Amino acid sequence: MSTAVATIAQPKIQHTECFIDGQWRPAMSGRTFETINPATEEVICEVAEGDKADIDAAVKAARHAFDNGPWSKMDARERGKIMFRLADLIEDEIDDLAALETLDNGKPIRESRFADLPLVLDCLRYYAGYADKIHGSTIPIRGNYFTYTRREAVGVAGQIIPWNFPMLMTAWKWGPALASGCTIVMKPAEQTPLSCLRLAQLAKDAGVPDGVVNVVPGYGPTAGGSLVKHPGVDKIAFTGEHRTAQIIMRDAAESLKRLTFELGGKSPNVVLADANLEKAAQGAYVGLFLNQGQCCCAGSRVFVEKRAHDEFMDKLTKLTKNRKLGNPFSMDTEQGPQIDRAQFDKIMKYIELGNIDGAKCVSGGERFGDTGYFVQPTVFDGVTDSMAIAQDEIFGPVMSVLTFEDWDDLIQRANNTFYGLAAAVWTRDITRAHDFARRVRAGTVWVNCYDVFDAAAPFGGFKMSGHGRELGEEGLKAYTESKTVTISLDA
Ligand code: NAI
Ligand code: MG
């Protein structure tokens, strides 16, 4: 590592307990679990291990806050103001929060500081501005009636998030819930509880009333499962693996909760020979390696038109071979460690499978260093559709490159997955671009770009990549119920 490069100081840890009804409390069982720094494999600290008893207390607080106000009954503009204040408090300590995220998650500081945190602020401010703009409509029905709809908060929202973007996922979930007047019980991922806990205190400091935001750290089947099954919860918003979503759907069946899911993907990133190959290679590189490959929308199947293959691969492998791995607190680090031992092992197993199946590893393929869960940026060339590395979500820095010649065949292959989260195409041919955008079965399509996110643009999946959308107006609607009111105008 270059010594001339700034290294950011490690943050101090302020909160490690459950945040329930505006108070910090240890888990009722007294149990704690370790959260690990994935770059060093060292324990950062112990965190309260919440389970059913803590979830019960948090739901009780959230239920009371929803049913009695003031949050749900507050002037909507006032709610918006408090949310803007929360965003301002986050901005005031943006460097510390970025450092906390990097410590717990391992992502490079320049990403947490300059990508994750700005998106957190955007999301909270976007929805803060929406708080006083949530309204129904008037509907001309048959007869002498006046009919209108109201959009009302869905109630207590149970929110379960993963570890890949801990703070951003918190903002995506809190933004629309708070704007619409819901109250919240959140369970952060067991790998990355720290930043979410800090945000809970900032919400309190901003004036969010007690009981409106509750955070219970803990494990999925215990804390998460109790939240999903709790009859006092109206809705579950979940981001994570599709297999977990299947369990959640079953667990939520008893109480018929509203469910929104944002799950995984095996997104096709298609490069036509007429594209700007420099940009396409850069887009494929970022689209897969961003966040150590731990992105639900990672462009993990790169389809390259055969006659552009060699030139594209030259450009791509130059990029991957120069990628800078190392201390995530160093400002010039581009790639940090994977989140934990389990993910590291899973990724290494897929690299092995790629080699066994006969794909050609043209870059990386091994562990980086001997401390921390680092994996070299890995590119497999000559991948075919049936290989495991072309079918399964690896959730790591492993790219599969496939080639194509026939356009209709390509579309069919791009859609040949049970996922449908994102897709991209690189071309100068406007007809091809539109044709792809229309025919690919995915919730987001990027043309000549990748990973462009905005709080105003809905995001979510077709098929087994999810239910419903987050962000934008659609994301807000998922936290509301529509109520139809009909008034007879006969005297
Ligand atoms: P996961 O889906 O098990 O975990 C996500 C969240 O769900 C965590 O907060 C976890 O504690 C919670 N959870 C787990 N089991 C639960 C249950 N029975 N009831 C309620 N909540 C539960 O994902 P995991 O195990 O961390 O990663 C496994 C794979 O999932 C990854 O390799 C990746 O392929 C995929 N994944 C996808 C993500 C995405 O953004 N789409 C994010 C994280 C993982
Ligand atoms: Mg799991």
Side-chain angles (χ1 to χ4, degrees):
M1 238 162 298
S2 156
T3 47
V5 168
T7 302
I8 306 303
Q10 304 249 334
K12 66 172 188 294
I13 312 297
Q14 302 180 66
H15 314 289
T16 60
E17 296 186 318
C18 305
F19 186 74
I20 298 174
D21 209 8
Q23 307 297 320
W24 293 103
R25 309 178 184 175
M28 290 187 203
S29 67
R31 279 207 298 271
T32 59
F33 66 98
E34 294 173 343
T35 186
I36 309 279
N37 174 348
T40 62
E41 303 177 46
E42 286 163 4
V43 177
I44 302 168
C45 62
E46 297 274 337
V47 175
E49 186 193 324
D51 59 23
K52 182 171 185 305
D54 308 283
I55 290 288
D56 285 347
V59 173
K60 194 170 165 210
R63 194 75 253 169
H64 187 268
F66 183 77
D67 292 341
N68 300 288
W71 188 251
S72 51
K73 302 194 167 82
M74 188 183 282
D75 186 275
R77 202 151 297 168
E78 196 55 37
R79 268 205 316 268
K81 234 194 254 173
I82 292 172
M83 292 179 68
F84 277 119
R85 217 177 292 144
L86 170 58
D88 290 345
L89 292 182
I90 292 172
E91 198 161 31
D92 287 348
E93 55 179 74
I94 193 165
D95 292 332
D96 289 343
L97 284 167
L100 190 61
E101 194 80 323
T102 287
L103 180 70
D104 211 10
N105 170 283
K107 64 176 69 199
I109 188 74
R110 69 183 205 184
E111 273 175 26
S112 47
R113 174 62 184 80
F114 299 106
D116 296 47
L117 258 303
L119 287 169
V120 166
L121 294 175
D122 267 3
C123 179
L124 289 174
R125 288 179 175 142
Y126 173 81
Y127 281 116
Y130 236 130
D132 60 358
K133 298 171 194 68
I134 303 170
H135 52 73
S137 52
T138 62
I139 300 167
I141 70 163
R142 188 188 300 120
N144 196 18
Y145 299 102
F146 173 51
T147 294
Y148 65 93
T149 58
R150 288 168 47 78
R151 292 219 81 96
E152 298 183 0
V154 75
V156 175
Q159 305 183 323
I160 300 173
I161 56 168
W163 40 261
N164 52 344
F165 294 91
M167 233 182 304
L168 187 56
M169 291 302 105
T170 303
W172 282 25
K173 300 270 183 293
W174 289 6
L178 292 176
S180 58
C182 291
T183 60
I184 294 166
V185 178
M186 172 165 274
K187 195 208 79 67
E190 55 272 28
Q191 294 89 345
T192 54
L194 297 177
S195 56
C196 176
L197 292 172
R198 180 63 192 148
L199 291 194
Q201 179 64 47
L202 293 183
K204 183 179 167 96
D205 296 347
V208 174
D210 291 352
V212 173
V213 167
N214 305 275
V215 179
V216 179
Y219 290 103
T222 50
S226 317
L227 184 58
V228 173
K229 289 178 200 136
H230 202 297
V233 175
D234 298 288
K235 172 205 167 81
I236 294 289
F238 168 77
T239 300
E241 190 183 4
H242 73 272
R243 288 187 197 87
T244 313
Q246 290 169 325
I247 296 171
I248 290 176
M249 207 168 205
R250 282 186 210 110
D251 284 350
E254 187 67 27
S255 50
L256 285 174
K257 288 182 178 62
R258 283 93 189 93
L259 298 173
T260 45
F261 290 150
E262 203 267 274
L263 312 173
K266 194 73 189 175
S267 299
N269 192 356
V270 176
V271 180
L272 276 84
D274 76 344
N276 177 332
L277 291 182
E278 199 66 55
K279 281 193 179 161
Q282 181 71 31
Y285 168 79
V286 171
L288 188 280
F289 294 112
L290 180 78
N291 205 38
Q292 293 67 248
Q294 302 167 143
C295 295
C296 47
C297 56
S300 48
R301 288 184 297 148
V302 175
F303 289 96
V304 185
E305 194 168 0
K306 205 163 191 176
R307 62 197 160 92
H309 171 269
D310 294 355
E311 191 183 342
F312 174 84
M313 290 309 286
D314 268 2
K315 296 182 192 302
L316 177 72
T317 46
K318 253 183 219 122
L319 289 167
T320 54
K321 287 188 169 145
N322 286 324
R323 190 163 177 79
K324 199 158 173 22
L325 278 71
N327 178 2
F329 279 93
S330 173
M331 261 304 171
D332 69 344
T333 293
E334 294 167 320
Q335 184 174 318
Q338 309 308 128
I339 190 67
D340 61 13
R341 168 70 58 187
Q343 289 295 314
F344 174 86
D345 289 343
K346 172 182 167 185
I347 294 158
M348 295 312 289
K349 187 200 81 187
Y350 274 107
I351 291 176
E352 200 185 317
L353 276 176
N355 286 318
I356 291 172
D357 286 348
K360 188 173 168 219
C361 185
V362 292
S363 181
E366 280 169 36
R367 182 181 188 176
F368 171 85
D370 48 22
T371 313
Y373 311 120
F374 292 88
V375 179
Q376 292 175 351
T378 299
V379 177
F380 277 105
D381 197 4
V383 177
T384 56
D385 295 351
S386 61
M387 292 180 186
I389 55 169
Q391 297 201 334
D392 301 349
E393 180 178 55
I394 300 173
F395 227 62
V398 181
M399 185 191 289
S400 295
V401 178
L402 308 95
T403 55
F404 72 94
E405 286 175 285
D406 179 72
W407 180 244
D408 289 325
D409 185 47
L410 174 271
I411 300 271
Q412 190 262 325
R413 290 169 66 199
N415 284 333
N416 188 17
T417 164
F418 62 77
Y419 291 118
L421 192 58
V425 65
W426 300 81
T427 180
R428 291 185 170 104
D429 182 335
I430 192 169
T431 308
R432 279 282 158 92
H434 280 292
D435 192 48
F436 182 80
R438 203 179 45 199
R439 291 166 71 188
V440 72
R441 304 266 299 152
T444 291
V445 182
W446 287 297
V447 177
N448 293 329
C449 57
Y450 210 96
D451 279 339
V452 177
F453 279 96
D454 192 286
F459 181 77
F462 280 35
K463 299 192 270 183
M464 284 175 76
S465 288
H467 269 207
R469 295 290 176 269
E470 295 192 282
L471 304 182
E473 188 180 8
E474 287 193 51
L476 185 73
K477 279 195 172 159
Y479 284 87
T480 65
E481 295 276 10
S482 175
K483 178 181 280 177
T484 304
V485 182
T486 294
I487 302 166
S488 166
L489 297 179
D490 289 334

